[in-house]
Amino acid sequence: MFVRSRVNFAGKSTTMAADHPPSDYAGDISPDEAWALLQSEPQAALVDVRTRAEWSFVGVPDLTPLGREAALVEWQQFPSMQVNPDFVAQAAAAGPDKAVPLLFLCRSGARSRSAAIAMTQAGYARAYNVAGGFEGDLDEARHRGRKNGWKASGLAWKQT
């Protein structure tokens, strides 16, 4: 296990355990920090890496208050759940400038971490994982969406 300094977009840092060395990606940010970063940096892009089924049945982040849309790029392709061989090229379309922040979001933060690592390996220095994802972790009743994540934070979302 590695120790990672969790750095938010404002430069504040805390220490947390990580399964990956610190150079693997820019770090984990909360949904609220992601929203603030998207507000403060108009070129920043949010890439939702869940599956088409999840986008349809669970909803997607709504960035229309910021005048843009989230990019929808599957990390694993439904229904086979094989890693998308074109992921890097498809995600790069959301942020062609490698200096611009790319924020990756999945259901709970695991696939989006893998996506942030892949984009860092492709040369993106500011590839962040949105911790807690769209739906968040399971609560004591084994339901998502109440404990943490984009929805639980009260951030804008819509049904597609």
Side-chain angles (χ1 to χ4, degrees):
M1 175 116 17
F2 297 92
V3 174
R4 175 186 305 280
S5 289
R6 179 175 180 258
V7 180
N8 69 19
F9 74 95
K12 297 178 182 174
S13 68
T14 58
T15 301
M16 61 186 278
D19 294 330
H20 304 282
S23 61
D24 278 359
Y25 64 106
D28 296 327
I29 60 175
S30 72
D32 289 327
E33 290 169 330
W35 184 264
L37 178 55
L38 291 164
Q39 282 182 310
S40 69
E41 295 199 37
Q43 298 303 314
L46 179 67
V47 182
D48 187 330
V49 303
R50 295 175 297 143
T51 65
R52 294 176 195 280
E54 289 170 298
W55 301 325
S56 294
F57 295 114
V58 183
V60 296
D62 183 5
L63 303 184
T64 55
L66 302 176
R68 57 188 184 244
E69 295 283 324
L72 306 178
V73 182
E74 289 180 307
W75 172 253
Q76 293 174 287
Q77 297 175 311
F78 184 81
S80 71
M81 299 310 285
Q82 297 298 312
V83 173
N84 177 358
D86 300 319
F87 178 81
V88 170
Q90 292 170 355
D97 180 347
K98 291 185 176 185
V100 170
L102 290 181
L103 293 72
F104 295 94
L105 177 79
C106 67
R107 180 184 64 199
S108 61
R111 286 174 285 175
S112 51
R113 180 179 296 116
S114 295
I117 291 168
M119 294 308 285
T120 299
Q121 291 171 348
Y124 286 81
R126 297 178 70 195
Y128 295 93
N129 174 46
V130 179
F134 188 69
E135 296 179 74
D137 297 319
L138 293 170
D139 65 13
E140 56 282 340
R142 303 202 44 80
H143 296 136
R144 294 187 189 274
R146 301 179 195 169
K147 190 172 182 179
N148 60 357
W150 190 273
K151 282 181 155 181
S153 294
L155 295 173
W157 66 279
K158 62 187 176 185
Q159 212 62 52
T160 59

